[in-house]
Amino acid sequence: MALYVVPSVIAFRRRHPQRLLVLAVNLVFGCTLVGWAVALHLATRSAPARSQPA
């Protein structure tokens, strides 16, 4: 059961900007292996670079 929430925990610990999306994907589709893998991928990918105002 603890492995089920690993993607969400990773996203929240990393303060990922899309952590709520990761949580939603994890809760809704995490029961399937594909959904869990997608949530893990979203949680571990780097955040998009923000452009600096000039």
Side-chain angles (χ1 to χ4, degrees):
M1 185 65 177
L3 290 176
Y4 181 78
V5 295
V6 165
S8 296
V9 171
I10 291 171
F12 276 87
R13 288 203 177 201
R14 294 180 69 198
R15 297 183 191 266
H16 197 281
Q18 295 180 330
R19 61 186 168 263
L20 294 178
L21 173 64
V22 174
L23 178 64
V25 170
N26 194 197
L27 291 177
V28 176
F29 301 110
C31 58
T32 66
L33 184 59
V34 173
W36 188 86
V38 168
L40 184 64
H41 171 72
L42 289 172
T44 56
R45 71 179 183 179
S46 60
R50 295 184 183 179
S51 60
Q52 297 281 338

